[in-house]
Amino acid sequence: MTWKGKLVKKSDFEFLIPQDYKPGMRVPGLIYASERLMEAIQADQSLEQVANVATLPGILKYSFAMPDIHWGYGFPIGGVAAMDWETGVVSPGGVGYDINCGVRLIRTNLTEEQIEPVREALANALYRNVPSGVGEEGHIRLTHSELDRVLENGVEEIKRMGMALEEDLEACEEYGKIPGASATKVSVRAKERGKNQLGTLGAGNHFLEVQKVEKVFRPDFAEKFGLFPGQVTIMIHCGSRGLGHQVCDDYLKVMREAIRKYNLSLPDPQLACTPIQSQEGRDYFAAMCAAANFAWANRQVITHFVRKAFEEVFKKSFADLGMVLVYDVAHNMAKREIHEVEGKKIEVCVHRKGATRAFPPGRKEIPEKYRDIGQPVLIPGNMGSASYCLIGTKEAMEESFGSTCHGAGRVMSRSKAIHSLSGQEVAKKLEARGITVKAGSWKGIAEEAPEVYKDVDEVARVVDMVKISYRVARMVPLIVIKG
Amino acid sequence: MWEMELVDHTADLGVKITADSLPELFKGFGIALLTLLFGAEKWSRSQKLESFTCESPMVEDLLVDFLNEILFYVFNKKKLPVEWKTLKISHRHHYILEGEFYYLDWDASKMPPHWDIKAATYHNLRIRKQNNRWTATVVFDI
């Protein structure tokens, strides 16, 4: 169903949904896209969702859409909305079910030639070490108190368990432990769903890839991130598993009551929200932060088992293999941040649902080693194309509340994908191009086939052209592990 | 009696059910959810019975809660509610669903699910009654 709403072209890569498009819009919608991407974007109802988000109380400047935007539920995927911390609302729908779904990039000192002779053994070791698939459980069993400590301390707790280095903490957004998390605000059911899932990928679009740096766009920044052409890297894309989903579900129920209590009028019930300063808002924020810490811990445990797999295959320590965490970013989060709005520095709650923080040089939130150049931004692509490492900019800070895109964005529904594509055929084509795929099911491969996604190169080009992040390196897959 | 129809959604999965009554609509969604997860299985009969209650302020919330509760039964209790013996919906201050279902024990290694359905969402959800038939569309988060 094509979207036929009102759209005004602001520049080559910016389109506006005027504030008068829909009653109740408090700000206009702003979409970053090229003409080519816009065609795909208008094929679904995601722009209507951009307009719906613009009606939420306390929203500032614009309801933003990144070039990888696609149809979500409530908020679009690829949406950014910043609310005034004092007068605005927080919405679990603006974060998503998979709280702190995110990406991390690990570099190595290996090159593609060194992978070739052990490719199959490495793929098998990774597939064995990192459980993937629906409802799959991990190698670690946590007691209730251990889980509570993970929820409140994130990667720090994993370090205590011997599965992280001090440098790993430094290379995570929020240092792998967002302040304000409270395990007491996470339900027993959420803990039940998550307690055996630490160190698991899950299914859907989540993946673990061994990649190769195929192109470097900005050698100075790449050097600072330790990246060079031909280098082998590892990308991990996953989130907070069943625990995060249950936190979202629990608080959507709370928010449904809050809508009535605070007399909020919403165009879509999935936008359920509550004033940030209400008890319900504070409770959600504390639970969301706890789920976010769980997600960072999850990606760290996966990193530990990835390092083990490499050690097993290469018979060298992971330190000798140069397996250093470049960075870890969240792309489903609401964050308390300070931004300049109309010349004044104010506290805002930035919802990034399918969007990535892209802070410029100088920000204290960025690890010291990157503070003079800006934050690494990681954009996962699909198993047949490429992923990107970008860098945050001052333009992102000024324009989009320090935010950029998060991936390629789907263009084909999952049901259409499995009816029109064969998983075996997709895997065969990838194998012919030198990409080894290990997945739980053929159907899983079909629904995540390269053709169901937008062109990630075009998405990265657009954010580079509008300067909300700059391309640093393009990585292509060598081994893909999917759920 | 109820009918199921898949609704296209870019990132997720939509299901529309049309039924003769409100309880049938709920039963239809319950079975449709299992169909999405495991395909159109002809489930063997089970004698294992479990009772089920759910309470929500609005009928749409009740449907979302009901479906999310089924997901919890499947993925955490490893029980597949394959047949509803009874399912009753009443309304006082809140909507209340009371029912009993026959279940089969689930072994994920023998029967992996087709989709990683995380939750039923409220996205544009409205339960409508038209010409004596009940209908609703639920988008599931994948």
Side-chain angles (χ1 to χ4, degrees):
Chain A
M1 197 167 56
T2 311
W3 187 76
K4 295 190 174 74
K6 201 168 163 185
L7 210 53
V8 178
K9 191 166 177 175
K10 192 179 167 212
S11 73
D12 283 350
F13 299 102
E14 290 170 296
F15 297 81
L16 280 175
I17 302 174
Q19 201 175 327
D20 63 4
Y21 163 64
K22 196 171 192 167
M25 280 176 73
R26 295 165 196 260
V27 292
L30 176 60
I31 303 106
Y32 298 111
S34 59
E35 290 275 3
R36 185 153 76 82
L37 287 174
M38 210 55 184
E39 272 177 40
I41 291 169
Q42 284 178 284
D44 64 28
Q45 294 300 301
S46 50
L47 295 182
E48 195 62 30
Q49 296 182 321
V50 174
N52 288 345
V53 170
T55 67
L56 293 177
I59 188 165
L60 299 163
K61 282 168 73 174
Y62 294 104
S63 166
F64 292 94
M66 298 297 142
D68 52 333
I69 182 182
H70 60 275
W71 198 15
Y73 33 84
F75 272 65
I77 298 160
V80 175
M83 276 65 175
D84 186 294
W85 187 261
E86 295 305 321
T87 61
V89 292
V90 62
S91 169
V95 173
Y97 281 91
D98 196 2
I99 296 167
N100 187 6
C101 181
V103 193
R104 62 170 46 192
L105 181 70
I106 302 157
R107 67 175 195 240
T108 72
N109 57 21
L110 298 165
T111 56
E112 188 187 6
E113 298 72 46
Q114 290 167 284
I115 293 287
E116 214 42 61
V118 293
R119 179 191 280 263
E120 197 58 31
L122 183 60
N124 287 335
L126 289 168
Y127 192 67
R128 200 170 47 241
N129 276 15
V130 183
S132 58
V134 185
E136 198 60 46
E137 296 190 339
H139 303 298
I140 292 169
R141 294 287 173 271
L142 298 176
T143 62
H144 292 297
S145 57
E146 281 170 338
L147 176 59
D148 283 354
R149 289 202 296 274
V150 167
L151 291 171
E152 295 191 350
N153 302 317
V155 182
E156 201 176 282
E157 189 58 30
I158 304 305
K159 182 175 167 256
R160 246 176 248 136
M161 294 160 90
M163 290 183 281
L165 307 170
E166 187 60 34
E167 302 90 276
D168 294 332
L169 271 74
E170 285 165 17
C172 286
E173 187 171 325
E174 300 293 339
Y175 301 91
K177 176 190 175 180
I178 191 165
S182 170
T184 61
K185 300 298 179 190
V186 176
S187 70
V188 171
R189 178 172 286 195
K191 291 176 187 176
E192 181 65 29
R193 284 183 71 175
K195 76 176 163 50
N196 294 337
Q197 291 189 324
L198 210 56
T200 62
L201 267 185
N205 61 352
H206 295 159
F207 66 73
L208 159 62
E209 280 185 7
V210 177
Q211 307 174 329
K212 148 182 104 158
V213 178
E214 184 252 347
K215 185 176 178 179
V216 164
F217 293 83
R218 287 171 173 81
D220 46 347
F221 296 149
E223 196 186 334
K224 196 90 183 190
F225 295 159
L227 302 175
F228 57 86
Q231 178 186 23
V232 169
T233 55
I234 298 123
M235 188 171 269
I236 297 164
H237 175 206
C238 64
S240 49
R241 310 286 287 113
L243 185 138
H245 309 158
Q246 191 62 45
V247 167
C248 180
D249 194 38
D250 290 340
Y251 281 92
L252 274 170
K253 266 181 237 166
V254 173
M255 305 282 167
R256 296 274 287 161
E257 293 278 4
I259 296 168
R260 288 179 274 274
K261 183 173 167 187
Y262 299 107
N263 203 20
L264 300 166
S265 163
L266 302 172
D268 180 345
Q270 190 69 28
L271 289 172
C273 56
T274 188
I276 299 166
Q277 297 303 333
S278 65
Q279 189 58 51
E280 295 89 340
R282 284 195 290 268
D283 288 350
Y284 170 67
F285 212 82
M288 180 205 60
C289 289
N293 286 341
F294 184 84
W296 274 307
N298 187 33
R299 291 196 286 276
Q300 182 60 45
V301 173
I302 291 174
T303 301
H304 171 75
F305 285 104
V306 166
R307 283 170 170 163
K308 287 236 171 251
F310 271 74
E311 285 180 336
E312 199 181 302
V313 172
F314 287 96
K315 314 281 181 226
K316 278 184 179 178
S317 73
F318 75 82
D320 286 341
L321 292 165
M323 297 182 77
V324 173
L325 179 59
V326 176
Y327 205 54
D328 180 308
V329 293
H331 57 220
N332 274 1
M333 278 289 277
K335 305 271 292 275
R336 184 179 186 174
E337 293 171 1
I338 294 172
H339 288 268
E340 200 171 301
V341 181
E342 291 169 359
K344 271 193 210 156
K345 282 202 167 141
I346 58 164
E347 266 199 308
V348 298
C349 175
V350 187
H351 295 77
R352 296 188 182 96
K353 184 180 182 189
T356 317
R357 196 185 74 175
F359 278 4
R363 291 284 296 211
K364 67 171 176 16
E365 296 89 342
I366 304 177
E368 220 173 295
K369 60 178 173 178
Y370 302 138
R371 207 168 287 163
D372 58 333
I373 56 166
Q375 176 211 310
V377 173
L378 306 169
I379 307 301
N382 67 68
M383 55 178 136
S385 63
S387 296
Y388 275 84
C389 175
L390 301 96
I391 192 163
T393 62
K394 77 173 177 35
E395 285 82 357
M397 216 59 205
E398 291 161 5
E399 306 287 329
S400 59
F401 289 98
S403 311
T404 188
C405 62
H406 91 304
R410 288 188 79 92
V411 281
M412 191 192 287
S413 71
R414 292 176 191 278
S415 48
K416 200 176 272 176
I418 56 165
H419 287 115
S420 58
L421 301 165
S422 140
Q424 286 98 323
E425 277 300 311
V426 173
K428 222 159 96 183
K429 277 188 201 165
L430 292 171
E431 205 68 60
R433 290 173 46 205
I435 303 166
T436 303
V437 184
K438 299 270 172 204
S441 71
W442 294 118
K443 194 193 70 58
I445 297 176
E447 73 177 77
E448 288 295 316
E451 41 275 71
V452 311
Y453 283 97
K454 291 193 187 96
D455 178 358
V456 70
D457 295 319
E458 182 67 356
V459 170
R461 187 179 77 90
V462 169
V463 295
D464 195 310
M465 295 305 285
V466 288
K467 301 180 178 176
I468 55 172
S469 46
Y470 292 131
R471 287 170 292 184
V472 175
R474 181 181 194 267
M475 287 84 68
V476 293
L478 301 171
I479 297 171
V480 180
I481 310 292
K482 296 282 290 183
Chain B
M1 283 287 290
W2 55 271
E3 295 103 51
M4 167 184 166
E5 191 186 318
L6 275 184
V7 178
D8 225 27
H9 188 279
T10 318
D12 300 297
L13 208 55
V15 177
K16 182 180 177 186
I17 300 286
T18 307
D20 291 340
S21 67
L22 191 59
E24 279 296 310
L25 184 85
F26 275 65
K27 276 187 201 171
F29 270 110
I31 299 299
L33 179 51
L34 283 196
T35 306
L36 288 177
L37 286 169
F38 303 105
E41 284 281 332
K42 207 163 162 47
W43 303 105
S44 53
R45 286 213 68 123
S46 166
Q47 295 305 314
K48 294 179 190 167
L49 198 62
E50 184 137 334
S51 56
F52 185 102
T53 56
C54 222
E55 187 177 335
S56 312
M58 310 265 287
V59 68
E60 283 85 4
D61 300 43
L62 188 72
L63 179 56
V64 169
D65 290 346
F66 169 72
L67 292 170
N68 286 336
E69 202 62 31
I70 290 179
L71 285 170
F72 185 74
Y73 267 91
V74 173
F75 289 113
N76 289 72
K77 296 190 172 181
K78 314 287 183 202
K79 291 175 180 176
L80 307 181
V82 291
E83 188 187 341
W84 287 86
K85 186 184 177 200
T86 58
L87 195 157
K88 200 176 81 182
I89 295 168
S90 55
H91 181 226
R92 284 173 216 113
H93 295 300
H94 277 182
Y95 284 87
I96 299 166
L97 184 152
E98 291 163 295
E100 285 176 301
F101 62 76
Y102 292 108
Y103 69 89
L104 293 171
D105 293 311
W106 177 50
D107 181 345
S109 64
K110 290 189 184 140
M111 202 202 298
H114 297 176
W115 305 94
D116 186 9
I117 298 179
K118 293 166 191 161
T121 75
Y122 299 93
H123 178 58
N124 285 340
L125 175 59
R126 267 190 70 189
I127 296 177
R128 289 187 177 87
K129 190 183 176 190
Q130 273 180 329
N131 305 325
N132 273 331
R133 299 216 80 197
W134 295 77
T135 181
T137 301
V138 172
V139 173
F140 291 96
D141 181 70
I142 306 276

